[in-house]
Every structure is written in C-alpha cells, then in structure tokens.
Amino acid sequence: MTAETTPARAGQPNQGRPSPSRARRGKLLRHAVGVAAFLLVWELAARAGLLPWLPAASASLARVAELAFDPAFAGDLLSTLTAAAAGLPLAVLVAVPIGLLLGTVPAVEETTRAIVEFLRPIPSVALIPLALFFFQPEINAKVALIVYAASWPILINTLYGVRDVDPVATETLRSFGFGSAAVIWRVSLPSAAPFIYTGIRLAASITLILAISVEYFVGGSGGIGAFLIQASTGIGADAMLDVIATLVWAGLVGLAVNVLLLRAERRLFRWRHA
Amino acid sequence: MLEIDNLTHVYGPGSPNEHHAIDGLKLSVAAGELLCVVGPSGCGKSTLLRSIAGLIKPTGGEIRVDGKLVRQTPDNLAVVFQDYSRSLFPWMSVADNVALPLRRRGMDKRQRREAAQEALESVGLAEAGRKYPFQLSGGMQQRVAIARALAYRPSLMLMDEPFGSVDAQTREDLEDLVLKVRGHHRMTIVLITHDIDESVYVGDRVVVLSKAPAHVVGDLKVDLPAPRDQITTREHPDFVRLRGEVGRLVRGVDAPAATA
C-alpha cells in the first residue's frame, strides 16, 4: 500500500545485495546528489539571467535561513502548524468511527454512498467561502475546513481497511464467543490500522494545503498563507525572495512530517511486512 | 456430548448458484471421544464444523452440545482452523494471542498470562510467548493456535483440517501432540481431515461423509492399541484394514470380493 519500498525487495536473490545500512547510505547519497544538481541548475540559470525574475538559489536559501529568525514569519509558521496539528486528530476522531460504521454495516454504506460520492470530488478549497460564512472567527473556519478535507482519506482508508479484514480472523474470535463489538474492537480495528494510518499520512499533507489555502484566501489573519500574500504584494526582488523562501519552508515542513510519519509507520506495523 | 440430528444446509437457497452442502446428517459424539470426520474434498465438512461452532445457521436440523441447542457459539467450545496464518492475530505477541480468548472466562490479566504460558508449555513453546506469529514456522504457529484452544479449556474442541498446511514431518508431530494433550485435558475432539491415514491414526472413531450434499456413509470404531506410534501403529494389521475400509467409503467403491 505504501509506495516507499526499496526496489531491492522485489524478489531478487539475496546474494550480492549490499547490506541494509550500506544500501541506505547509497540511497541517501543519491538523494543528496539529486538535490545538489537541482540547486546548481537553479543557481546557474538565475546567474545567467535565463529567468530574470528568479532569485539565485544561494540567495533564496540564505533567505530561508533568515526567515527562521524572523519573529513575524516564525509566528505565521507556528499558526499554520497549530491549525494543521489541531485539525488532524479531530479528523481522525470524526473519520475513523464513520469509516468503521460504513465498513461494517453494508446497509449504511449503501444508503450514504451517493452522497459520499457527490461530496468527495468537490475540491475543499472551493468550500472556503462557505466555511467562512458558517464558522467565525476565521481560525474556526480554517480548522473546520482542515478537518473536513483531512477526513476523506482517513474515512475511505478505514472503510476499505475494515472491509479487507480476513474473515478467518473474525470467525476465530467469534468462535470463542465474542460478540460483534468485540470483533470490531479487537480484530477489525487493529487489522485495518495500517490502512487507517496510511489515510492519516495522506491527510497530514492535506491539512497543510488547506491551512495555507484558507490563510491565503483570508489574508491578514496570520499563517504562512497570509505571509505569502503580503510578500507577493511587495515590490521587487526582495518580495520574490520572500515568496520562494516561504515555499521552501512549506515544502520542508511537509517533507519532515511525512518522513516522521513513515518512520513511525515502519515501527508500528512491523508485523505487517514480515 | 454432541448430538446432530437431521442437519441440512443449503447455501444461497433459491439463487442460481444454490449449493446443497449437507443433507440430513445424523451424528452423535460421546464425551471424551476423539472423532475424525473424513470425506471427499468439498463435501461439506467445513460447513458441518461451522454449524457446530454456531458460526453459520444451518437451514435445517438441530445441533445440541451438552443437551443445549446451538443457536450461537457454545461457551465451552474452541476451534482450531486450518489456516493458522490467518487465524492467529499478527499484531499480537504469541502470548497475547493465546491469552485473548480467556477474557471470556473472566480471568484477570495475571491469570490470563499464567494460563497462556502453561498452554504454550504444553505444546512445547515455553519460550515463544514474546515472539510474534510471523517469527515462527508454520508448524509452530499451528501449535500456538492449539495452545490458544487448550488454554480456553473447552469441553469440545473442533479442528478443521488442522494439519493441512504443514509438511509431513511436522504433521506427524502435531498428530502426536493432539493425542498427547487430549490425555491431559479431558475433552471431546472433532477433527476434520481429508487424510484417510490421519483419521485412522488419530481417531477413536472415524465417520465418513459422502460427496455433497453430505451425509454419513460410514462410522467405524478404531480399536488400535494405545499409545499410538507413528511407525508401529501404521504397521498394525487393523490400521491397514481400517484405512482400506475408510478409503473405499471415501471413494464410494465396494470392498473387493473375497478371494479364497
């Protein structure tokens, strides 16, 4: 289910394969080479004046470092992360029970399928005006929209995870006289946990997208989305530098969150990859 | 102990792929007996077992365990499934797997842990409690499943082709394990298998089912000397005679005419 498996796993013979730590170091090295090459092309392109509006990589990265010590930016970053971090657990609390219900009671799933299939493709960003209308102050609208958007992947993954539960496992517990509630709690939920977790990981990146989008839409109320608006309304090379440095920060945060969640996933679900 | 009267089960009655699995099956098992049920593949053996366990509701007939009509899973029953890799919970340690059903027995955590350890010792896995199922071989995993059933102290243990997924050597070890543990725990065992030799080697009695829709076509008492032994028991003239009889019943052929 996760795409992040090393290609060496795909049924190749064990002989001649480098040790895991060596393979890991090799992989990290290649990642670093890729990033370095990208930065070099960027730097050269900017210096050669191929893209006149583009600040050089070195200047941009310097600005990225500076921003970390800029209280205004740090406050905005914190406010974005707080909204995302508040929204994710709420989304889990909303989506997992609903997913369990839909996954275990087919009648409910069939009754709600049309509405789910209708709501799901609506881009959450398009709901920003509606959210601002219903939820005030804006921080509430931001969190509400994050919860809504982040709930979808968790809900869908829970639903399929629960459906995928092995009937032999369920029957085993039933054969010891356990009732439906115990089966859901002790078999369906733990068995679906890796699916649910993947849903949460997908949802985590969605929380950032929604937080920044709402901030950008509203403007003046904080968050790196608001910072981005202010930067982009400025004039000249400095404004572009701020915009690009903010993007780099958004990317770094997203990357860090994903790496942390992937590590935790490997730890939590070691039993699954055996 | 176990009374089955006129059991009938039809899957998807009225639908185009209606399947008549069991038809008018009668069977009675005495307390403490080890009954092997054999029959051709797909004959409804598993349907029978699932009906006894209350996992499916048969379309007709009655099953009684200890005189009580089976409507849902009886309290004093444990099942060992063929597919240990699917019936053990991979997210739990071996000890937790064995201890889980004991929650139904109202035991506290310490009692559950001790009972689980004792059951693991009785199947020769005293050291495996902290491991996870995927860290064990297939035969060891099935031992864990047997330990889980034993820890529950059922008066009726149902085994659905329990040795169907392990290699021949392991299979013999597990057959002997079942014979050993039934000596220690007083319980009735119904073991379903498609292996004719196994049914005669392990059973006190062998019941042969017909092709689907299944009914009983043969009911043989196995009077082999105890303790049974993988080599000498299988050489015993009665063993050879019985496996022939069971084999002919399974294949639905008559005994060859006696030649003088």
Side-chain angles (χ1 to χ4, degrees):
Chain A
M1 201 169 50
T2 52
E4 288 80 3
T5 45
T6 52
R9 262 194 146 170
Q12 281 174 13
N14 213 7
Q15 288 159 331
R17 197 165 71 182
S19 69
S21 69
R22 263 187 71 189
R24 204 176 144 72
R25 246 179 291 151
K27 213 166 75 175
L28 280 176
L29 185 69
R30 281 192 291 277
H31 290 333
V33 167
V35 172
F38 172 78
L39 290 175
L40 189 67
V41 171
W42 176 3
E43 184 76 21
L44 291 176
R47 292 203 177 203
L50 291 178
L51 300 163
W53 49 267
L54 184 71
S58 50
S60 304
L61 291 182
R63 188 77 188 119
V64 167
E66 269 170 45
L67 278 184
F69 301 101
D70 178 338
F73 179 81
D76 280 335
L77 183 60
L78 192 66
S79 125
T80 301
L81 288 179
T82 310
L88 190 61
L90 287 173
V92 173
L93 284 179
V94 170
V96 171
I98 298 178
L100 275 178
L101 178 70
L102 298 189
T104 47
V105 189
V108 177
E109 195 272 322
E110 279 157 27
T111 314
T112 54
R113 189 183 299 159
I115 197 115
V116 165
E117 292 306 319
F118 168 72
L119 288 176
R120 197 147 68 108
I122 299 177
S124 303
V125 175
L127 296 173
I128 293 176
L130 207 61
L132 287 170
F133 183 79
F134 280 112
F135 299 96
Q136 284 297 336
E138 283 143 15
I139 174 74
N140 289 351
K142 184 155 81 170
V143 174
L145 212 55
I146 289 173
V147 172
Y148 174 83
S151 289
W152 287 111
I154 305 175
L155 171 69
I156 301 299
N157 272 38
T158 306
L159 171 62
Y160 286 107
V162 168
R163 277 211 198 135
D164 198 55
V165 172
D166 195 321
V168 175
T170 324
E171 285 204 328
T172 299
L173 205 62
R174 281 178 57 211
S175 74
F176 285 110
F178 287 82
S180 314
V183 168
I184 289 175
W185 177 244
R186 299 197 181 280
V187 175
S188 305
L189 202 56
S191 161
F195 288 83
I196 298 174
Y197 190 91
T198 302
I200 294 173
R201 199 158 54 74
L202 298 173
S205 56
I206 291 177
T207 62
L208 276 184
I209 295 173
L210 264 292
I212 295 174
S213 302
V214 174
E215 290 156 5
Y216 193 82
F217 190 87
V218 176
S221 66
I224 55 174
F227 189 89
L228 210 51
I229 276 215
Q230 277 172 337
S232 58
T233 48
I235 316 152
D238 256 15
M240 187 50 83
L241 214 49
D242 274 348
V243 168
I244 287 184
T246 308
L247 294 183
V248 172
W249 268 108
L252 286 176
V253 168
L255 180 69
V257 169
N258 199 40
V259 166
L260 283 179
L261 289 176
L262 271 175
R263 287 214 172 163
E265 180 171 5
R266 264 184 296 235
R267 235 160 228 272
L268 279 170
F269 305 117
R270 208 173 293 162
W271 53 267
R272 209 166 169 265
H273 297 288
Chain B
M1 204 280 140
L2 171 65
E3 303 284 337
I4 299 171
D5 190 28
N6 210 15
L7 182 72
T8 299
H9 190 70
V10 182
Y11 286 102
S15 78
N17 36 12
E18 175 181 296
H19 176 62
H20 205 151
I22 301 181
D23 185 33
L25 189 143
K26 277 192 191 22
L27 185 61
S28 136
V29 186
E33 200 168 25
L34 201 171
L35 173 78
C36 288
V37 177
V38 268
S41 302
C43 79
K45 300 186 291 274
S46 290
T47 306
L48 169 65
L49 180 132
R50 287 151 55 88
S51 304
I52 301 172
L55 294 171
I56 54 172
K57 200 179 167 340
T59 45
E62 282 187 354
I63 300 173
R64 287 172 191 278
V65 173
D66 281 334
K68 277 203 309 206
L69 200 60
V70 172
R71 290 174 202 279
Q72 53 204 18
T73 306
D75 280 338
N76 49 356
L77 172 144
V79 184
V80 175
F81 291 92
Q82 171 179 4
D83 212 335
Y84 45 81
S85 65
R86 294 165 63 193
S87 103
L88 293 179
F89 305 123
W91 55 85
M92 280 185 186
S93 72
V94 162
D96 289 344
N97 262 287
V98 176
L100 177 60
L102 302 177
R103 287 173 178 275
R104 296 275 306 153
R105 292 283 188 247
M107 297 162 86
D108 67 32
K109 200 173 175 186
R110 198 179 53 87
Q111 290 171 315
R112 292 201 299 268
R113 209 175 43 216
E114 283 172 8
Q117 184 56 30
E118 194 189 316
L120 283 170
E121 278 165 22
S122 73
V123 300
L125 287 177
E127 308 295 320
R130 280 158 178 260
K131 295 199 167 150
Y132 280 80
F134 71 82
Q135 295 170 307
L136 304 180
S137 69
M140 285 159 97
Q141 289 184 41
Q142 191 60 302
R143 279 170 190 268
V144 175
I146 293 171
R148 179 169 63 184
L150 291 177
Y152 194 65
R153 301 211 171 268
S155 46
L156 176 60
M157 179 153 89
L158 304 176
M159 307 184 89
D160 187 7
E161 306 216 8
F163 317 131
S165 308
V166 295
D167 63 81
Q169 177 64 50
T170 308
R171 186 183 189 108
E172 293 187 351
D173 293 345
L174 290 174
E175 287 166 1
D176 290 335
L177 175 69
V178 168
L179 289 171
K180 188 192 104 186
V181 296
R182 64 150 330 194
H184 294 281
H185 307 258
R186 294 184 50 80
M187 59 182 166
T188 312
I189 301 177
V190 175
L191 188 149
I192 282 174
T193 177
H194 61 260
D195 185 319
I196 293 159
D197 286 30
E198 179 170 284
S199 71
V200 176
Y201 178 73
V202 177
D204 298 328
R205 190 180 141 203
V206 178
V207 158
V208 183
L209 300 185
S210 67
K211 280 192 299 215
H215 55 271
V216 176
V217 293
D219 190 337
L220 296 87
K221 187 147 180 56
V222 181
D223 239 343
L224 290 165
R228 301 202 182 161
D229 176 272
Q230 290 287 355
I231 309 294
T232 56
T233 300
R234 288 174 194 271
E235 288 169 342
H236 199 283
D238 284 347
F239 179 90
V240 176
R241 176 181 56 79
L242 279 164
R243 68 174 293 266
E245 263 181 64
V246 173
R248 274 185 284 273
L249 285 164
V250 169
R251 281 159 197 251
V253 292
D254 293 330
T259 45

